[in-house]
């Protein structure tokens, strides 16, 4: 595949989970967790996927990783359709896509030493390696993620949350993948540890030329690590743009509200803050038309009609809002300058 | 301003394998009516233990040991630490209420939210069931839940996280407490819902004039809610002041480190390189470093100075307190 | 990298094993009943193994003159039965049979239960539902009914009775294992393993199984106690181990007609059964406290 095709391409991914209704459960209702996502992740870039709980961001991530088969849609990795890949091809792809998890406690097997945990991917993708060679690789990778090589024989309970997260990162890197899906990897960590792990991600991404899907609910984090950001709401992407562009000139009212609600320690004018009303509607029965219209400050009658498609505002910046007459506040505009 | 609670020299320790490990040391503060005081720190800083100590919710001695005084002001002052459990039960809910991070675990799943609010009211006030019910509807309306009467019949699992936290707030406010302790009340919530809850708390505080003790790890939330802020590290107060001063002009290297470790929205997408980090770990409370407990992780550490006790909390002017022996030269160095 | 405060605190327990943490061992040792049980059952087992060699009479040696000697007469420590056979010799030999049947039935039923529970818990959905409904339906039959029916149709022997007991006592372990696995399989490390390319069987046996060794051991210990009891009452009813091979159960069967004239014939095997069963139950309780503590499994 040529170098400028995106490493990951998804075309109209839908993931609907049927709800059991009654004894003979004819599934008439379903949770539309992901409802039509088309997105590309260019090689060696980081796509940040940001959204609140129930937005479908993790479900989408699992579909991309091939963990759950989507209800419909196509996922291509390096040009190859995951659904059409043979068993052998799939195995090759598995090695190239790895994942780092949110919960540093549940992501490591408490009964396995670091050496064993890091050896698991090698057992299946580098079968000819001896036990000793696996151990060497594990020790090497441990140093790479900033832990002493001597820790290979320790068990998970001997580590802090941040250290465990490093081990989780090391495991993902053991088989030298091209693509990493990172799902809320810093949200369980303390602030100072979070910064360490984010720095580690940034340096590994650069050095190992990784392509990344970085899923988080934290706008500031996504702004720090991503090249592009996609904002999800109720199973759909409502805005997609290069990071700086998204933060400095958001084009979707939901993005504006998120930026406004995100707490930051800088001085700000509280009165200008946008506080959305209500909760995210149910994904079983989403509003007609624009999914955000029930909470939107700028909704018109027309918003209840068609589901708005992503339209390009200017090259690279897409929004799923029919209103093109809005001037929305940026991340910086809402904050007073410090005196 | 009236002071409603004074915490004097509070120390809390837990017994572990025969030894008492002190996890909160020499904490002093005052809560003023209508004001919000934030306790900020990372896990292990002692901020939550402090709040449990005030509520009298620590395991009884000898599992825990509490020293100092927690004085609840009123018609007459009472030291909560010497109050027997029966008296403490009257204080809890009635004078001091508390809300927690995860409302689902603090609500009883088998009772409707209405029953739980009514129960909270009737356990402290002589009131008919009917009157209590009316008060419950009133409270649910106050915390911004639409269709209050119908909501009384809902079970906790039928509500969203934000709604549940509102119900918890309604229960906490049922008896019009003088003090509300909020322990990470928005940490489990989405940003847009967090903004709603913070707004709600501020509005309720303005209406009732209660004092709030707000415990959080998030400086962003602190900026939104707090009038005064205390930064805690390894069981001690390391910086205290008005929120504007502490966040705008932090003096303690730990506070500065924490603040610069958080990615900023303003610089999003600029790829400004590495975030500043604080190396190392929070020390083991059984094995604290001598002198300043932050000194092994501090980039401004001076040997022979920072590792020598005592390291007192010094006044940097305008009630801005800082526990750092080098705050003066550091402040000068940074202009 | 960094100086670590935790390093110091964790160094002391570095040497601890994989699943049996030293804390677990300490908890077990401090459990008085469990240690009593362990000592008692060890003593019983030891007597059963070496006892028959130390006694002057063999278990099949008939001395019509010495019929119904009460315990302590001559060199008959526990007396004799209606044929003048040494009761002690018979008791120890019977103990070998009962203990072996009990332990073998436990091993078999644990294996069956673990595999069924593991597969049912791991796959959930259709396979899991089918397996667990099957388990429940087996559980619905009264065990004694099942046992007697099977025993009536099949040639009774020590091997057969072991198989029958195993076939009727694996269900509880299957349920315990499947419940544990159902919660464990949601952990991220299972997903991580899948992403690493691990097969289902690898995940089940290498990732998940080591995490539930504790509960399985506890259940298995309690199963031994129940298997011994089951063997005893099947044999007591005459469908189990057949004379002249003695077992505690058929010794009791034999004893019932002499209950008023020679009560020791019933008392001796009865006490043996009680000691063995309670010992295993004590050990099981102790192990439960020691291993089941979720504290070392975050």
């Amino acid at each position: 595949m040529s170098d400028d095709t995106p490493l990951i391409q998804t075309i109209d991914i839908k993931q609907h989970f049927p709800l059991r209704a009654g004894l003979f459960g004819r599934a008439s209702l379903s949770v539309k967790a992901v409802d039509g996502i088309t997105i590309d992740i260019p090689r060696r870039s980081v796509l940040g996927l940001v959204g609140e709980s129930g937005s479908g961001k993790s479900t989408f991530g699992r579909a991309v990783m091939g963990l759950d088969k989507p209800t419909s849609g196509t996922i291509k990795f390096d040009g190859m359709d995951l659904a059409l890949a043979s068993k052998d091809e799939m195995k090759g792809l598995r090695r190239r896509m790895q994942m780092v998890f949110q919960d540093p406690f549940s992501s490591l097997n408490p009964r396995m030493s670091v050496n064993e945990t890091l050896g698991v991917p090698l057992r299946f993708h580098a079968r000819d390696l001896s036990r000793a060679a696996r151990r060497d690789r594990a020790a090497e990778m441990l140093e790479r993620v900033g832990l002493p090589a001597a820790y290979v024989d320790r068990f998970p309970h001997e580590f802090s949350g941040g250290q465990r997260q490093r081990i989780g990162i090391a495991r993902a890197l053991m088989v030298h993948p091209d693509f990493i899906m990172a799902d809320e990897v810093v949200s369980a960590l303390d602030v100072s540890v979070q910064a360490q792990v984010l720095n580690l991600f940034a340096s590994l991404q650069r050095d190992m030329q990784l392509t990344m899907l970085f899923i988080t609910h934290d706008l500031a984090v996504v702004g720090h690590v991503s090249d592009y950001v996609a904002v999800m709401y109720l199973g759909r992407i409502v805005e997609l743009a290069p990071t700086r562009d998204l933060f400095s000139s958001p084009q979707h009212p939901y993005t504006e509200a998120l930026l406004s609600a995100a707490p930051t320690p800088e001085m700000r004018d509280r009165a200008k803050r946008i506080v959305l009303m209500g909760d995210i509607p149910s994904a079983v029965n989403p509003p007609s038309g624009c999914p955000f219209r029930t909470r939107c400050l700028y909704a018109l009658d027309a918003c209840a009609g068609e589901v708005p498609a992503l339209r390009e505002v200017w090259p690279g910046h897409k929004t799923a809002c029919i209103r093109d007459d809005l001037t929305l506040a940026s991340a910086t505009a809402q904050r007073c300058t410090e005196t | 301003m009236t002071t409603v609670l004074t915490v004097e020299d509070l120390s809390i320790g837990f017994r572990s394998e025969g030894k008492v490990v002190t996890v909160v040391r020499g904490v002093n503060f005052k809560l003023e009516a209508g004001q919000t005081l934030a306790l900020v720190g990372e896990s292990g800083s002692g901020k939550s233990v402090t709040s449990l100590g005030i509520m009298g919710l620590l395991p009884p001695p000898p599992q825990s040991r509490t020293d100092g005084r927690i004085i609840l002001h009123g018609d007459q002052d009472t030291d909560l630490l010497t109050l027997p459990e029966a008296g403490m039960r009257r204080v809890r809910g009635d004078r001091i209420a508390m809300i927690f991070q995860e409302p689902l675990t603090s609500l009883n799943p088998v009772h409707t939210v209405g029953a739980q609010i009514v129960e909270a009211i009737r356990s402290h006030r002589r009131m008919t069931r009917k009157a209590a019910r009316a008060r419950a509807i009133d409270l649910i309306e106050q915390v911004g839940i639409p269709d209050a009467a119908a909501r009384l019949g809902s079970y906790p699992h039928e509500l969203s996280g934000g709604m549940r936290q509102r119900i918890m707030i309604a229960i906490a406010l049922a008896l019009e407490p003088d003090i509300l302790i909020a322990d990470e009340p928005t940490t489990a919530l989405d940003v847009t819902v967090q903004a709603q809850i913070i707004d709600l708390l501020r509005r309720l505080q303005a209406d009732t004039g209660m004092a709030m003790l707000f415990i959080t790890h998030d400086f962003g939330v602190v900026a939104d809610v707090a009038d005064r802020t205390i930064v805690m590290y390894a069981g001690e107060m390391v910086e205290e002041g008005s929120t504007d001063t502490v966040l705008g002009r932090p003096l303690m290297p730990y506070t500065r480190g924490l603040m610069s470790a958080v990615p900023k929205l303003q610089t999003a997408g600029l790829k400004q390189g590495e975030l500043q980090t604080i190396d190392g770990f929070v020390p083991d409370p059984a094995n604290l470093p001598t002198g300043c407990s932050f000194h092994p992780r501090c980039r401004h550490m001076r040997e022979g100075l920072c590792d020598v006790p005592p390291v007192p909390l010094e006044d940097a002017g305008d009630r801005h307190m800082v526990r750092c022996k080098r705050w003066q030269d550091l402040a000068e160095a940074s202009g | 990298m960094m100086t670590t405060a935790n390093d110091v605190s964790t160094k002391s327990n570095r040497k601890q094993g994989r699943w049996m943490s030293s804390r677990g061992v300490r908890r077990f040792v401090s459990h008085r009943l469990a240690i009593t049980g362990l000592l008692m059952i060890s003593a019983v087992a030891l007597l059963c193994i070496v006892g028959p060699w130390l006694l002057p009479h063999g278990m099949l040696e008939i001395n019509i003159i010495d019929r119904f000697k009460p315990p302590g007469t001559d060199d008959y420590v526990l007396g004799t039965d209606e044929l003048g056979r040494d009761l002690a010799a018979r008791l120890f030999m019977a103990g070998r049979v009962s203990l072996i049947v009990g332990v073998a039935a436990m091993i078999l039923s644990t294996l069956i239960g673990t595999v069924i529970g593991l597969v049912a818990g791991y796959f959930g959905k259709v396979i899991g539902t089918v397996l667990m409904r099957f388990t429940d339906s087996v559980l619905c039959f009264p065990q004694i009914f099942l046992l007697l029916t099977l025993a009536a149709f099949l040639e009774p022997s020590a091997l057969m009775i072991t198989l029958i007991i195993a076939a009727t006592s694996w269900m509880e372990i299957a349920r315990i294992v499947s419940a544990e696995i159902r919660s464990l399989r949601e952990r991220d490390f299972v997903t991580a393993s899948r992403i690493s390319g691990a097969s289902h069987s690898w995940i089940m046996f290498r990732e998940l199984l080591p995490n539930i060794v504790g509960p399985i051991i506890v259940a298995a210990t309690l199963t031994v106690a129940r298997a011994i009891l089951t063997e005893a009452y099947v044999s007591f009813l005459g469908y189990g181990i057949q004379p002249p091979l003695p077992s505690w159960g058929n010794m009791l069967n034999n004893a019932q007609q002499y209950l008023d004239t020679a009560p020791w014939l019933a008392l001796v095997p009865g006490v043996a059964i009680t000691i063995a069963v309670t010992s295993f139950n004590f050990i099981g309780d102790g192990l439960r406290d020691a291993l089941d503590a979720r504290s070392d499994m975050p």
Side-chain angles (χ1 to χ4, degrees), chain B residues 8 21 45 57 87 128-129 137-138 150 156 168 176 199 210 224 233 248 257 264 271 273 293 299-300 312 327-329:
Chain B
E8 271 175 24
V21 177
S45 62
L57 293 174
T128 63
R129 202 161 280 280
I137 293 177
D138 197 37
M168 282 311 295
E176 296 168 331
D199 258 31
M210 66 184 173
D224 270 2
Y233 181 77
K264 307 281 178 296
K271 289 267 167 186
S293 43
R299 61 190 73 209
H300 305 291
W327 71 267
Q328 260 155 328
D329 37 313

Side-chain angles (χ1 to χ4, degrees), chain A residues 21 26 69 110 130 162 167 187 228 237 248 261 274:
Chain A
R26 207 172 327 133
K69 206 173 142 1
S130 68
I167 297 168
S187 53
Y228 304 91
I237 289 178
S248 58
I274 301 166

Side-chain angles (χ1 to χ4, degrees), chain C residues 65-81:
Chain C
I65 317 158
D66 290 339
R67 290 174 68 191
F68 296 123
K69 289 276 187 254
T73 342
D74 302 338
D75 48 3
Y76 298 111
V77 188
L78 295 175
T80 61
D81 65 3

Side-chain angles (χ1 to χ4, degrees), chain A residues 46 51-53 160 163 190-196 198-199 203 205 217 219-221 223-227 243-244 247 254 257-259 261-268 270 273-280 295 331-332 335 338, chain B residues 41-43 160 162-163 189-196 198-199 202 217-226 243-244 247-248 258-259 261-281 297:
Chain A
V46 181
E52 297 180 280
S53 47
S160 68
Q163 290 175 317
D190 266 330
V191 175
S192 63
V193 183
Q194 166 179 309
Q196 294 166 2
L198 286 177
N199 286 344
S203 75
Q205 193 265 332
H217 68 283
L219 274 167
V221 165
H224 183 77
V225 298
S226 314
D227 300 300
T243 307
R244 188 64 203 151
F247 281 79
Y254 179 59
L258 274 184
L259 289 172
T264 57
E266 283 79 30
M267 303 301 138
R268 64 158 103 184
R270 285 201 188 101
R273 196 164 71 172
I274 301 166
V275 178
L276 292 177
M277 301 295 285
D279 290 319
I280 297 189
R295 301 170 75 196
T332 38
R335 273 124 195 137
E338 200 181 319
Chain B
E42 297 183 279
S43 34
S160 68
M163 286 291 180
L189 304 175
D190 282 318
V191 262
T192 56
V193 181
Q194 167 169 289
Q196 295 169 357
I198 288 174
D199 258 31
R202 295 177 55 82
H217 68 283
D218 188 334
F219 278 109
V221 173
V222 171
D224 270 2
V225 297
T243 301
D244 288 352
L247 298 190
L258 270 190
M259 289 188 58
V262 190
K264 307 281 178 296
L265 283 178
Q266 283 82 340
T267 58
L270 294 181
K271 289 267 167 186
Q272 285 201 323
E274 298 229 312
L275 290 167
Q276 223 185 88
T277 61
I278 305 172
D279 286 347
F281 297 99
R297 304 175 69 188

